[in-house]
mmCIF file of all heavy atoms in Angstrom:
data_model
loop_
_atom_site.group_PDB
_atom_site.id
_atom_site.type_symbol
_atom_site.label_atom_id
_atom_site.label_comp_id
_atom_site.label_asym_id
_atom_site.label_seq_id
_atom_site.Cartn_x
_atom_site.Cartn_y
_atom_site.Cartn_z
ATOM 1 N N LYS A 1 29.887 -193.770 -118.375
ATOM 2 C CA LYS A 1 29.359 -195.005 -117.757
ATOM 3 C C LYS A 1 27.993 -194.792 -117.122
ATOM 4 O O LYS A 1 27.071 -195.598 -117.324
ATOM 5 C CB LYS A 1 30.380 -195.507 -116.734
ATOM 6 C CG LYS A 1 30.195 -196.964 -116.378
ATOM 7 C CD LYS A 1 31.365 -197.463 -115.544
ATOM 8 C CE LYS A 1 31.329 -198.983 -115.369
ATOM 9 N NZ LYS A 1 32.485 -199.479 -114.589
ATOM 10 N N LYS A 2 27.822 -193.685 -116.367
ATOM 11 C CA LYS A 2 26.547 -193.473 -115.678
ATOM 12 C C LYS A 2 25.448 -193.100 -116.657
ATOM 13 O O LYS A 2 24.320 -193.524 -116.523
ATOM 14 C CB LYS A 2 26.704 -192.417 -114.579
ATOM 15 C CG LYS A 2 27.462 -192.953 -113.375
ATOM 16 C CD LYS A 2 27.401 -191.968 -112.203
ATOM 17 C CE LYS A 2 28.059 -192.603 -110.957
ATOM 18 N NZ LYS A 2 27.966 -191.704 -109.785
ATOM 19 N N GLN A 3 25.780 -192.271 -117.652
ATOM 20 C CA GLN A 3 24.784 -191.872 -118.629
ATOM 21 C C GLN A 3 24.369 -193.104 -119.477
ATOM 22 O O GLN A 3 23.193 -193.244 -119.882
ATOM 23 C CB GLN A 3 25.327 -190.773 -119.537
ATOM 24 C CG GLN A 3 25.569 -189.463 -118.803
ATOM 25 C CD GLN A 3 24.354 -188.942 -118.090
ATOM 26 O OE1 GLN A 3 23.312 -188.769 -118.689
ATOM 27 N NE2 GLN A 3 24.489 -188.666 -116.806
ATOM 28 N N HIS A 4 25.311 -193.950 -119.779
ATOM 29 C CA HIS A 4 25.024 -195.209 -120.471
ATOM 30 C C HIS A 4 24.062 -196.049 -119.671
ATOM 31 O O HIS A 4 23.120 -196.626 -120.187
ATOM 32 C CB HIS A 4 26.354 -195.960 -120.711
ATOM 33 C CG HIS A 4 26.191 -197.227 -121.533
ATOM 34 N ND1 HIS A 4 25.942 -198.418 -120.958
ATOM 35 C CD2 HIS A 4 26.311 -197.412 -122.865
ATOM 36 C CE1 HIS A 4 25.880 -199.345 -121.926
ATOM 37 N NE2 HIS A 4 26.078 -198.747 -123.088
ATOM 38 N N ALA A 5 24.259 -196.098 -118.355
ATOM 39 C CA ALA A 5 23.420 -196.905 -117.484
ATOM 40 C C ALA A 5 21.965 -196.359 -117.448
ATOM 41 O O ALA A 5 21.001 -197.103 -117.484
ATOM 42 C CB ALA A 5 23.991 -196.936 -116.040
ATOM 43 N N VAL A 6 21.835 -195.024 -117.399
ATOM 44 C CA VAL A 6 20.513 -194.424 -117.413
ATOM 45 C C VAL A 6 19.781 -194.755 -118.696
ATOM 46 O O VAL A 6 18.582 -195.102 -118.661
ATOM 47 C CB VAL A 6 20.610 -192.891 -117.245
ATOM 48 C CG1 VAL A 6 19.249 -192.223 -117.423
ATOM 49 C CG2 VAL A 6 21.193 -192.544 -115.886
ATOM 50 N N MET A 7 20.479 -194.696 -119.838
ATOM 51 C CA MET A 7 19.808 -195.027 -121.103
ATOM 52 C C MET A 7 19.418 -196.488 -121.180
ATOM 53 O O MET A 7 18.411 -196.862 -121.808
ATOM 54 C CB MET A 7 20.700 -194.646 -122.277
ATOM 55 C CG MET A 7 20.883 -193.119 -122.494
ATOM 56 S SD MET A 7 19.308 -192.224 -122.763
ATOM 57 C CE MET A 7 19.197 -191.351 -121.218
ATOM 58 N N LYS A 8 20.211 -197.367 -120.558
ATOM 59 C CA LYS A 8 19.863 -198.794 -120.557
ATOM 60 C C LYS A 8 18.614 -199.029 -119.720
ATOM 61 O O LYS A 8 17.755 -199.850 -120.064
ATOM 62 C CB LYS A 8 21.042 -199.609 -120.037
ATOM 63 C CG LYS A 8 22.294 -199.604 -120.880
ATOM 64 C CD LYS A 8 22.093 -200.310 -122.197
ATOM 65 C CE LYS A 8 22.105 -201.815 -122.054
ATOM 66 N NZ LYS A 8 22.101 -202.486 -123.380
ATOM 67 N N ILE A 9 18.494 -198.300 -118.604
ATOM 68 C CA ILE A 9 17.294 -198.396 -117.757
ATOM 69 C C ILE A 9 16.093 -197.860 -118.565
ATOM 70 O O ILE A 9 15.027 -198.456 -118.525
ATOM 71 C CB ILE A 9 17.491 -197.686 -116.433
ATOM 72 C CG1 ILE A 9 18.488 -198.487 -115.578
ATOM 73 C CG2 ILE A 9 16.182 -197.495 -115.698
ATOM 74 C CD1 ILE A 9 18.922 -197.774 -114.330
ATOM 75 N N ARG A 10 16.279 -196.780 -119.237
ATOM 76 C CA ARG A 10 15.170 -196.226 -120.101
ATOM 77 C C ARG A 10 14.730 -197.288 -121.110
ATOM 78 O O ARG A 10 13.544 -197.520 -121.327
ATOM 79 C CB ARG A 10 15.698 -194.953 -120.799
ATOM 80 C CG ARG A 10 14.680 -194.329 -121.736
ATOM 81 C CD ARG A 10 15.297 -193.172 -122.555
ATOM 82 N NE ARG A 10 14.381 -192.636 -123.541
ATOM 83 C CZ ARG A 10 13.714 -191.509 -123.471
ATOM 84 N NH1 ARG A 10 13.898 -190.737 -122.428
ATOM 85 N NH2 ARG A 10 12.884 -191.102 -124.446
ATOM 86 N N ASN A 11 15.681 -197.892 -121.748
ATOM 87 C CA ASN A 11 15.368 -198.921 -122.725
ATOM 88 C C ASN A 11 14.654 -200.092 -122.109
ATOM 89 O O ASN A 11 13.692 -200.647 -122.719
ATOM 90 C CB ASN A 11 16.681 -199.440 -123.374
ATOM 91 C CG ASN A 11 16.427 -200.464 -124.454
ATOM 92 O OD1 ASN A 11 15.918 -200.152 -125.516
ATOM 93 N ND2 ASN A 11 16.747 -201.733 -124.172
ATOM 94 N N GLU A 12 15.001 -200.492 -120.909
ATOM 95 C CA GLU A 12 14.327 -201.593 -120.224
ATOM 96 C C GLU A 12 12.868 -201.220 -119.884
ATOM 97 O O GLU A 12 11.952 -202.057 -119.973
ATOM 98 C CB GLU A 12 15.067 -201.983 -118.972
ATOM 99 C CG GLU A 12 14.403 -203.106 -118.171
ATOM 100 C CD GLU A 12 14.205 -204.386 -118.935
ATOM 101 O OE1 GLU A 12 14.943 -204.659 -119.927
ATOM 102 O OE2 GLU A 12 13.328 -205.189 -118.573
ATOM 103 N N ILE A 13 12.644 -199.992 -119.486
ATOM 104 C CA ILE A 13 11.286 -199.523 -119.215
ATOM 105 C C ILE A 13 10.438 -199.638 -120.472
ATOM 106 O O ILE A 13 9.298 -200.067 -120.435
ATOM 107 C CB ILE A 13 11.290 -198.113 -118.646
ATOM 108 C CG1 ILE A 13 11.950 -198.092 -117.250
ATOM 109 C CG2 ILE A 13 9.893 -197.513 -118.562
ATOM 110 C CD1 ILE A 13 12.217 -196.703 -116.693
ATOM 111 N N ILE A 14 11.002 -199.201 -121.596
ATOM 112 C CA ILE A 14 10.289 -199.276 -122.869
ATOM 113 C C ILE A 14 9.999 -200.712 -123.235
ATOM 114 O O ILE A 14 8.888 -201.067 -123.652
ATOM 115 C CB ILE A 14 11.097 -198.573 -123.964
ATOM 116 C CG1 ILE A 14 11.188 -197.044 -123.696
ATOM 117 C CG2 ILE A 14 10.410 -198.792 -125.339
ATOM 118 C CD1 ILE A 14 12.201 -196.324 -124.556
ATOM 119 N N ARG A 15 11.007 -201.569 -123.092
ATOM 120 C CA ARG A 15 10.813 -202.986 -123.440
ATOM 121 C C ARG A 15 9.707 -203.609 -122.559
ATOM 122 O O ARG A 15 8.837 -204.309 -123.040
ATOM 123 C CB ARG A 15 12.110 -203.756 -123.199
ATOM 124 C CG ARG A 15 12.081 -205.215 -123.712
ATOM 125 C CD ARG A 15 13.028 -206.098 -122.929
ATOM 126 N NE ARG A 15 12.682 -206.223 -121.535
ATOM 127 C CZ ARG A 15 11.701 -206.992 -121.057
ATOM 128 N NH1 ARG A 15 10.997 -207.715 -121.863
ATOM 129 N NH2 ARG A 15 11.470 -207.043 -119.757
ATOM 130 N N ALA A 16 9.762 -203.336 -121.231
ATOM 131 C CA ALA A 16 8.765 -203.872 -120.321
ATOM 132 C C ALA A 16 7.389 -203.322 -120.609
ATOM 133 O O ALA A 16 6.363 -203.994 -120.391
ATOM 134 C CB ALA A 16 9.182 -203.578 -118.881
ATOM 135 N N THR A 17 7.307 -202.054 -121.081
ATOM 136 C CA THR A 17 6.047 -201.463 -121.424
ATOM 137 C C THR A 17 5.375 -202.243 -122.544
ATOM 138 O O THR A 17 4.211 -202.601 -122.484
ATOM 139 C CB THR A 17 6.228 -199.993 -121.824
ATOM 140 O OG1 THR A 17 6.601 -199.226 -120.679
ATOM 141 C CG2 THR A 17 4.980 -199.410 -122.439
ATOM 142 N N TYR A 18 6.101 -202.472 -123.618
ATOM 143 C CA TYR A 18 5.558 -203.212 -124.749
ATOM 144 C C TYR A 18 5.143 -204.640 -124.297
ATOM 145 O O TYR A 18 4.119 -205.145 -124.687
ATOM 146 C CB TYR A 18 6.559 -203.303 -125.885
ATOM 147 C CG TYR A 18 6.563 -202.105 -126.794
ATOM 148 C CD1 TYR A 18 7.280 -200.956 -126.462
ATOM 149 C CD2 TYR A 18 5.823 -202.062 -127.941
ATOM 150 C CE1 TYR A 18 7.277 -199.815 -127.263
ATOM 151 C CE2 TYR A 18 5.779 -200.941 -128.777
ATOM 152 C CZ TYR A 18 6.514 -199.823 -128.435
ATOM 153 O OH TYR A 18 6.516 -198.718 -129.240
ATOM 154 N N GLU A 19 5.970 -205.226 -123.455
ATOM 155 C CA GLU A 19 5.700 -206.610 -122.950
ATOM 156 C C GLU A 19 4.363 -206.608 -122.179
ATOM 157 O O GLU A 19 3.542 -207.466 -122.380
ATOM 158 C CB GLU A 19 6.851 -207.051 -122.044
ATOM 159 C CG GLU A 19 6.662 -208.444 -121.444
ATOM 160 C CD GLU A 19 7.870 -208.817 -120.619
ATOM 161 O OE1 GLU A 19 8.040 -208.193 -119.519
ATOM 162 O OE2 GLU A 19 8.624 -209.695 -121.029
ATOM 163 N N PHE A 20 4.196 -205.615 -121.283
ATOM 164 C CA PHE A 20 2.983 -205.594 -120.473
ATOM 165 C C PHE A 20 1.737 -205.415 -121.305
ATOM 166 O O PHE A 20 0.775 -206.180 -121.178
ATOM 167 C CB PHE A 20 3.091 -204.449 -119.442
ATOM 168 C CG PHE A 20 1.804 -204.286 -118.650
ATOM 169 C CD1 PHE A 20 1.532 -205.067 -117.534
ATOM 170 C CD2 PHE A 20 0.846 -203.317 -119.011
ATOM 171 C CE1 PHE A 20 0.371 -204.929 -116.788
ATOM 172 C CE2 PHE A 20 -0.322 -203.170 -118.303
ATOM 173 C CZ PHE A 20 -0.588 -203.991 -117.182
ATOM 174 N N PHE A 21 1.754 -204.445 -122.187
ATOM 175 C CA PHE A 21 0.538 -204.145 -122.969
ATOM 176 C C PHE A 21 0.248 -205.237 -124.025
ATOM 177 O O PHE A 21 -0.893 -205.574 -124.261
ATOM 178 C CB PHE A 21 0.611 -202.754 -123.585
ATOM 179 C CG PHE A 21 0.403 -201.647 -122.617
ATOM 180 C CD1 PHE A 21 1.428 -200.760 -122.320
ATOM 181 C CD2 PHE A 21 -0.821 -201.490 -121.950
ATOM 182 C CE1 PHE A 21 1.285 -199.752 -121.395
ATOM 183 C CE2 PHE A 21 -1.012 -200.487 -121.034
ATOM 184 C CZ PHE A 21 0.029 -199.605 -120.739
ATOM 185 N N ASN A 22 1.308 -205.789 -124.616
ATOM 186 C CA ASN A 22 1.066 -206.876 -125.536
ATOM 187 C C ASN A 22 0.533 -208.123 -124.843
ATOM 188 O O ASN A 22 -0.324 -208.819 -125.364
ATOM 189 C CB ASN A 22 2.401 -207.238 -126.291
ATOM 190 C CG ASN A 22 2.797 -206.179 -127.276
ATOM 191 O OD1 ASN A 22 1.916 -205.515 -127.871
ATOM 192 N ND2 ASN A 22 4.066 -206.042 -127.529
ATOM 193 N N ASN A 23 1.027 -208.389 -123.658
ATOM 194 C CA ASN A 23 0.602 -209.570 -122.913
ATOM 195 C C ASN A 23 -0.798 -209.434 -122.309
ATOM 196 O O ASN A 23 -1.425 -210.422 -121.924
ATOM 197 C CB ASN A 23 1.580 -209.925 -121.803
ATOM 198 C CG ASN A 23 2.874 -210.468 -122.305
ATOM 199 O OD1 ASN A 23 3.011 -210.794 -123.485
ATOM 200 N ND2 ASN A 23 3.895 -210.551 -121.440
ATOM 201 N N THR A 24 -1.279 -208.202 -122.175
ATOM 202 C CA THR A 24 -2.628 -207.977 -121.623
ATOM 203 C C THR A 24 -3.641 -207.590 -122.683
ATOM 204 O O THR A 24 -4.727 -207.106 -122.366
ATOM 205 C CB THR A 24 -2.552 -206.918 -120.514
ATOM 206 O OG1 THR A 24 -1.894 -205.727 -121.009
ATOM 207 C CG2 THR A 24 -1.817 -207.445 -119.288
ATOM 208 N N GLY A 25 -3.307 -207.799 -123.935
ATOM 209 C CA GLY A 25 -4.292 -207.636 -125.013
ATOM 210 C C GLY A 25 -4.536 -206.247 -125.550
ATOM 211 O O GLY A 25 -5.530 -205.982 -126.232
ATOM 212 N N PHE A 26 -3.590 -205.313 -125.287
ATOM 213 C CA PHE A 26 -3.722 -203.937 -125.819
ATOM 214 C C PHE A 26 -3.121 -203.916 -127.230
ATOM 215 O O PHE A 26 -2.131 -204.544 -127.501
ATOM 216 C CB PHE A 26 -2.991 -202.945 -124.924
ATOM 217 C CG PHE A 26 -3.737 -202.587 -123.678
ATOM 218 C CD1 PHE A 26 -3.877 -203.483 -122.607
ATOM 219 C CD2 PHE A 26 -4.354 -201.345 -123.537
ATOM 220 C CE1 PHE A 26 -4.549 -203.117 -121.449
ATOM 221 C CE2 PHE A 26 -5.044 -200.983 -122.396
ATOM 222 C CZ PHE A 26 -5.143 -201.898 -121.354
ATOM 223 N N THR A 27 -3.721 -203.107 -128.063
ATOM 224 C CA THR A 27 -3.225 -202.875 -129.445
ATOM 225 C C THR A 27 -2.545 -201.528 -129.503
ATOM 226 O O THR A 27 -3.086 -200.508 -129.035
ATOM 227 C CB THR A 27 -4.394 -202.880 -130.460
ATOM 228 O OG1 THR A 27 -5.005 -204.159 -130.399
ATOM 229 C CG2 THR A 27 -3.896 -202.606 -131.852
ATOM 230 N N LYS A 28 -1.328 -201.484 -130.077
ATOM 231 C CA LYS A 28 -0.618 -200.212 -130.165
ATOM 232 C C LYS A 28 -1.187 -199.400 -131.304
ATOM 233 O O LYS A 28 -1.311 -199.873 -132.460
ATOM 234 C CB LYS A 28 0.874 -200.428 -130.408
ATOM 235 C CG LYS A 28 1.665 -199.117 -130.395
ATOM 236 C CD LYS A 28 3.154 -199.331 -130.405
ATOM 237 C CE LYS A 28 3.905 -198.009 -130.271
ATOM 238 N NZ LYS A 28 3.723 -197.093 -131.394
ATOM 239 N N ILE A 29 -1.487 -198.143 -131.023
ATOM 240 C CA ILE A 29 -2.017 -197.162 -131.970
ATOM 241 C C ILE A 29 -1.104 -195.963 -131.910
ATOM 242 O O ILE A 29 -0.713 -195.507 -130.827
ATOM 243 C CB ILE A 29 -3.453 -196.779 -131.631
ATOM 244 C CG1 ILE A 29 -4.414 -197.971 -131.754
ATOM 245 C CG2 ILE A 29 -3.953 -195.624 -132.530
ATOM 246 C CD1 ILE A 29 -4.570 -198.503 -133.148
ATOM 247 N N ASP A 30 -0.780 -195.380 -133.051
ATOM 248 C CA ASP A 30 0.117 -194.204 -133.131
ATOM 249 C C ASP A 30 -0.668 -192.962 -133.424
ATOM 250 O O ASP A 30 -1.100 -192.716 -134.569
ATOM 251 C CB ASP A 30 1.181 -194.428 -134.214
ATOM 252 C CG ASP A 30 2.062 -195.618 -133.883
ATOM 253 O OD1 ASP A 30 2.461 -195.781 -132.742
ATOM 254 O OD2 ASP A 30 2.285 -196.437 -134.833
ATOM 255 N N PRO A 31 -0.932 -192.098 -132.409
ATOM 256 C CA PRO A 31 -1.638 -190.870 -132.651
ATOM 257 C C PRO A 31 -0.771 -189.871 -133.434
ATOM 258 O O PRO A 31 0.457 -189.988 -133.436
ATOM 259 C CB PRO A 31 -1.908 -190.317 -131.245
ATOM 260 C CG PRO A 31 -1.529 -191.413 -130.306
ATOM 261 C CD PRO A 31 -0.539 -192.281 -131.011
ATOM 262 N N PRO A 32 -1.371 -188.884 -134.067
ATOM 263 C CA PRO A 32 -0.577 -187.917 -134.822
ATOM 264 C C PRO A 32 0.153 -186.968 -133.891
ATOM 265 O O PRO A 32 -0.269 -186.745 -132.750
ATOM 266 C CB PRO A 32 -1.643 -187.157 -135.635
ATOM 267 C CG PRO A 32 -2.874 -187.254 -134.823
ATOM 268 C CD PRO A 32 -2.812 -188.613 -134.178
ATOM 269 N N ILE A 33 1.262 -186.433 -134.365
ATOM 270 C CA ILE A 33 2.031 -185.413 -133.602
ATOM 271 C C ILE A 33 1.513 -184.026 -133.946
ATOM 272 O O ILE A 33 1.427 -183.174 -133.074
ATOM 273 C CB ILE A 33 3.513 -185.544 -133.919
ATOM 274 C CG1 ILE A 33 4.033 -186.890 -133.343
ATOM 275 C CG2 ILE A 33 4.307 -184.367 -133.350
ATOM 276 C CD1 ILE A 33 5.473 -187.160 -133.694
ATOM 277 N N LEU A 34 1.081 -183.784 -135.183
ATOM 278 C CA LEU A 34 0.462 -182.519 -135.557
ATOM 279 C C LEU A 34 -1.042 -182.657 -135.378
ATOM 280 O O LEU A 34 -1.645 -183.576 -135.888
ATOM 281 C CB LEU A 34 0.783 -182.206 -137.033
ATOM 282 C CG LEU A 34 2.237 -181.719 -137.300
ATOM 283 C CD1 LEU A 34 2.473 -181.691 -138.809
ATOM 284 C CD2 LEU A 34 2.455 -180.342 -136.700
ATOM 285 N N THR A 35 -1.636 -181.756 -134.616
ATOM 286 C CA THR A 35 -3.032 -181.807 -134.334
ATOM 287 C C THR A 35 -3.683 -180.440 -134.581
ATOM 288 O O THR A 35 -3.040 -179.425 -134.533
ATOM 289 C CB THR A 35 -3.290 -182.242 -132.890
ATOM 290 O OG1 THR A 35 -2.891 -181.200 -131.998
ATOM 291 C CG2 THR A 35 -2.564 -183.514 -132.538
#
C-alpha cells in the first residue's frame, strides 16, 4: 500500500511537470543517453 502510494505521487509529479511546461510554451526535446 505505501509503495503503491509513493509511485502514485511520482506519477503525479511527472503529470504536473508535463502540464507546467506544456502550458508555459516549452517544447519537449529528448537528448541522447549515449554521449
Side-chain angles (χ1 to χ4, degrees):
K1 200 170 188 178
K2 288 190 174 182
Q3 295 303 306
H4 185 271
V6 173
M7 290 302 110
K8 295 292 283 187
I9 290 171
R10 179 187 173 106
N11 182 71
E12 178 59 24
I13 293 170
I14 295 168
R15 188 208 63 78
T17 290
Y18 277 85
E19 180 179 68
F20 175 82
F21 286 115
N22 287 330
N23 289 348
T24 51
F26 282 73
T27 299
K28 185 172 185 293
I29 297 292
D30 299 314
I33 292 174
L34 286 169
T35 69

